[in-house]
Amino acid sequence: MQKFTQKIVQMMKHENLFESQGGPIILSQIENEYEPESKAFGSPGHAYMTWAAHMAVSMDTGVPWVMCKEFDAPDPVINTCNGFYCDYFSPNKPYKPTMWTEAWTGWFTDFGGPNHQRPAEDLAFAVARFIQKGGSLVNYYMYHGGTNFGRTSGGPFITTSYDYDAPIDEYGLIRQPKYGHLKELHKAIKLCEKALLAADSTVTSLGSYEQAHVFSSGSGGCAAFLSNYNTKKAARVKFNNIQYSLPPWSISILPDCKNVVFNTAQVGVQTSQVHMLPTGSELLSWETFNEDISSVDDDKMITVAGLLEQLNITRDTSDYLWYTTSVHISSSESFLRGGRLPVLTVQSAGHALHVFINGELSGSAHGTREQRRFTFTEDVKFHAGKNRISLLSVAVGLPNNGPRFETWNTGILGPVTLHGLDEGQRDLTWQKWSYKVGLKGEDMKLQSWKSISLVDWIQGSLVVGKQKPLTWYKAYFNSPKGDDPLALDMGSMGKGQVWINGHSIGRYWTLYAEGNCSGCSYSATFRPARCQLGCGRPTQKWYHVPRSWLKSTRNLLVLFEEIGGDASRISLVKRLVTRN
């Protein structure tokens, strides 16, 4: 930890980036929301936190260090607030500034869940509440949405998109009205600057839900924040002998204590509309390559009795781990003569699973972000004699929050059982299992220009390849003209990964969103369960393609599909934003 911190600080110092060197960095942070972990670990957690704080200060950056969500951060480290609202927050010493290091503009998205939208009115209300209570700094998280390229998305189950309903979206385009409304809020706060810096506020009640926060400077400057906390009713209040109307759940800002220049609930910016439009750039020369499940039997396999935890074997070199075993079925079994098929039950610690019986896909199952563990239970087709069971366990991101990561299991930990045989139940858990990390295509680095010639691709096979699992696809396309942001429409596919010119676009997964998309009102305390969008549609359909990764002609698209899909319907689209 110390070596890492020293490395980063030294890189910053070498470029003269700290404010003390004349650079733009005015604040440094050590650790992130460690308080819950500190409590979970008890005294060792507190000792680590204290050590980390002192270690950071010893780096001598010349700018303050902060710890967000760390109530007992030791001096001179400043404890700060993260959340949807931080007006309740006070630092642990009266001489420390009140800082909000993560004002959450939205919420992250997980595969199978809805998208979240935080109303611009509520976000502005939250920031104004913080400033009127004496807040010194607001840093938005996220102000510019992003993309989890490669296999960097964590969670697990967090989508490749990390758009976060931010004022500037994942593609670098302005999201209105959030961007413009916050811009007007910042202008209004800036007009109050002299009064805000001169004194603490005095608070006066204007009614049951209404207050006035007034800042007065010695030179006669005055700024007021008039608030209405009622979630349903507008209020008419009297302040300095003037009547003011306050919408529900809003704050009016008066830089001169007379004239309202901004109200958090009154949005004067037009809402932007997003359009994903065809680029006219065709995907050409499609070819396929099928993972040979029988090739799992190779010299890279290990065989042991029992089931092993996935990440201990893969070390995150691949999302994929094969668990392979065999069962012998007697020719006298009743199901071979028209009886009910036997049932295979596989209990997995997460995150997804594809079951192959004698090389044919028998079914798939997966967990969720809230419940990573799941059970696969389906009828399976066996023949008399030796039958091969190949279980492809798939990870969907590493844990990124919470204590004791070493206790988070992934993969098939069992039990694995067969039901419906004449003998009753047969437990396969502790028989010999063979393990193979990754895919043949991964071993051969099929996503790169250098390696695509190493296998015999099948030409013109898209029609035949529909719905076929464990298939690699490749095609070529020319870069569209213009500079509009680009995305791949992957709505026709199932689950897998995509590369362009060797760069990983990320994981795709066409899971349909479940949630409560019944509507959204700005006037109430925001939580992720409110204001959900996209129910009944794929959680993520479009995948960001940076233009900086493209050449003018003959760009290589490679994808690996786990379940099956129609690659002929994949398209390259451009993102445009218009105003209503």
Side-chain angles (χ1 to χ4, degrees):
M1 173 68 173
Q2 185 166 351
K3 287 179 180 178
F4 175 79
T5 308
Q6 285 173 332
K7 174 75 172 177
I8 299 301
V9 168
Q10 192 53 51
M11 289 170 66
M12 302 298 104
K13 285 184 175 180
H14 183 72
E15 301 292 337
N16 294 318
L17 291 177
F18 289 107
E19 190 277 337
S20 55
Q21 302 173 291
I25 298 176
I26 62 171
L27 210 59
S28 304
Q29 179 179 317
I30 191 73
E31 270 301 342
N32 183 60
E33 300 180 2
Y34 188 71
E35 183 179 308
E37 280 64 44
S38 179
K39 289 179 178 178
F41 290 124
S43 57
H46 179 78
Y48 164 74
M49 180 278 298
T50 306
W51 170 84
H54 292 317
M55 180 269 292
V57 171
S58 72
M59 300 288 171
D60 192 27
T61 62
V63 302
W65 283 91
V66 302
M67 279 184 159
C68 60
K69 282 195 175 182
E70 190 61 65
F71 72 98
D72 53 354
D75 287 357
V77 175
I78 304 163
N79 65 306
T80 66
C81 183
N82 288 358
F84 292 113
Y85 306 92
C86 279
D87 52 295
Y88 66 89
F89 170 77
S90 297
N92 59 22
K93 296 289 175 58
Y95 46 79
K96 294 181 180 180
T98 304
M99 296 197 287
W100 190 358
T101 39
E102 289 186 19
W104 297 338
T105 62
W107 200 239
F108 56 81
T109 308
D110 50 279
F111 285 115
N115 287 278
H116 305 278
Q117 181 182 56
R118 186 177 188 187
E121 299 95 324
D122 177 66
L123 180 56
F125 181 55
V127 173
R129 282 168 67 172
F130 181 72
I131 297 297
Q132 76 175 6
K133 290 284 292 289
S136 298
L137 173 145
V138 178
N139 180 66
Y140 293 99
Y141 184 98
M142 306 288 292
Y143 197 78
H144 190 326
T147 308
N148 294 311
F149 293 118
R151 296 187 300 113
T152 57
S153 61
F157 289 93
I158 302 301
T159 55
T160 296
S161 171
Y162 202 79
D163 188 77
Y164 220 82
D165 196 40
I168 302 175
D169 71 17
E170 173 184 3
Y171 296 84
L173 300 177
I174 289 174
R175 174 176 278 118
Q176 299 287 24
K178 188 169 284 186
Y179 179 92
H181 196 50
L182 291 178
K183 183 178 180 180
E184 294 303 312
L185 168 66
H186 303 155
K187 282 184 183 177
I189 294 172
K190 180 71 173 174
L191 291 172
C192 304
E193 182 177 22
K194 288 184 179 179
L196 289 173
L197 294 175
D200 292 330
S201 67
T202 57
V203 184
T204 304
S205 174
L206 302 177
S208 300
Y209 295 92
E210 300 82 33
Q211 291 180 337
H213 290 249
V214 182
F215 298 82
S216 300
S217 68
S219 60
C222 181
F225 291 67
L226 307 183
S227 57
N228 176 13
Y229 289 92
N230 193 306
T231 61
K232 293 183 172 59
K233 294 182 179 179
R236 190 159 179 81
V237 300
K238 194 172 186 179
F239 174 71
N240 284 351
N241 293 317
I242 302 175
Q243 294 284 341
Y244 295 91
S245 293
L246 302 176
W249 200 249
S250 78
I251 294 175
S252 286
I253 299 178
L254 294 64
D256 57 0
C257 285
K258 293 180 183 178
N259 298 294
V260 176
V261 300
F262 182 84
N263 178 272
T264 59
Q266 294 175 338
V267 178
V269 184
Q270 289 181 314
T271 301
S272 56
Q273 297 294 318
V274 174
H275 308 275
M276 305 301 278
L277 302 175
T279 60
S281 181
E282 291 187 56
L283 297 169
L284 305 169
S285 306
W286 280 104
E287 296 181 305
T288 62
F289 169 74
N290 295 323
E291 281 278 322
D292 182 5
I293 298 180
S294 64
S295 71
V296 175
D297 275 333
D298 63 18
D299 57 1
K300 293 187 177 180
M301 295 191 76
I302 60 170
T303 302
V304 297
L307 297 164
L308 302 178
E309 198 277 336
Q310 182 166 342
L311 289 176
N312 277 336
I313 303 176
T314 65
R315 299 293 174 178
D316 193 40
T317 58
S318 170
D319 279 356
Y320 305 101
L321 179 64
W322 284 102
Y323 294 68
T324 304
T325 193
S326 60
V327 293
H328 186 271
I329 298 298
S330 170
S331 58
S332 63
E333 284 287 347
S334 301
F335 77 87
L336 294 173
R337 298 188 299 278
R340 183 179 174 184
L341 291 173
V343 175
L344 177 67
T345 299
V346 181
Q347 292 192 23
S348 172
H351 305 131
L353 170 67
H354 307 303
V355 176
F356 295 85
I357 305 297
N358 296 321
E360 296 295 323
L361 180 64
S362 182
S364 301
H366 61 84
T368 64
R369 189 175 64 83
E370 291 79 15
Q371 186 58 49
R372 300 183 301 278
R373 297 177 181 275
F374 64 91
T375 301
F376 169 93
T377 301
E378 286 192 26
D379 294 350
V380 288
K381 294 180 180 179
F382 286 135
H383 53 66
K386 184 179 179 181
N387 291 263
R388 180 187 180 86
I389 300 174
S390 302
L391 309 177
L392 183 59
S393 182
V394 188
V396 190
L398 299 178
N400 65 355
N401 183 273
R404 307 188 191 281
F405 281 3
E406 74 277 9
T407 65
W408 288 44
N409 292 322
T410 303
I412 301 162
L413 300 183
V416 177
T417 54
L418 271 177
H419 305 263
L421 299 178
D422 291 345
E423 69 196 64
Q425 176 179 306
R426 186 185 299 183
D427 192 339
L428 310 180
T429 307
W430 286 101
Q431 65 181 42
K432 284 190 176 181
W433 288 85
S434 296
Y435 297 85
K436 164 72 166 54
V437 174
L439 308 165
K440 183 177 181 180
E442 286 182 311
D443 292 342
M444 302 177 76
K445 295 183 171 53
L446 285 190
Q447 73 275 15
S448 74
W449 278 101
K450 296 178 181 179
S451 304
I452 55 172
S453 61
L454 296 180
V455 301
D456 293 326
W457 294 85
I458 303 172
Q459 297 182 2
S461 55
L462 280 192
V463 176
V464 179
K466 285 182 183 179
Q467 304 302 319
K468 192 170 180 63
L470 303 192
T471 300
W472 292 82
Y473 297 83
K474 76 177 177 75
Y476 298 93
F477 65 94
N478 295 332
S479 183
K481 294 180 180 179
D483 56 5
D484 297 311
L486 303 175
L488 277 177
D489 183 340
M490 299 297 294
S492 64
M493 303 305 288
K495 181 181 182 301
Q497 299 180 44
V498 193
W499 296 263
I500 289 181
N501 292 332
H503 300 282
S504 175
I505 296 295
R507 301 183 182 98
Y508 69 86
W509 197 356
T510 314
L511 274 185
Y512 281 69
E514 298 181 4
N516 179 11
C517 298
S518 58
C520 177
S521 170
Y522 81 87
S523 58
T525 301
F526 180 79
R527 293 292 180 263
R530 293 170 51 84
C531 301
Q532 297 182 353
L533 301 173
C535 298
R537 301 197 298 267
T539 299
Q540 184 175 354
K541 179 181 178 182
W542 295 295
Y543 293 80
H544 184 196
V545 178
R547 278 189 177 266
S548 60
W549 289 0
L550 300 183
K551 308 179 297 179
S552 58
T553 59
R554 200 165 167 77
N555 295 283
L556 172 65
L557 167 69
V558 175
L559 66 100
F560 174 69
E561 170 59 47
E562 299 171 20
I563 307 166
D566 185 355
S568 67
R569 291 167 53 200
I570 297 173
S571 64
L572 190 68
V573 298
K574 59 185 177 182
R575 186 176 179 93
L576 294 180
V577 170
T578 60
R579 303 279 186 90
N580 273 347

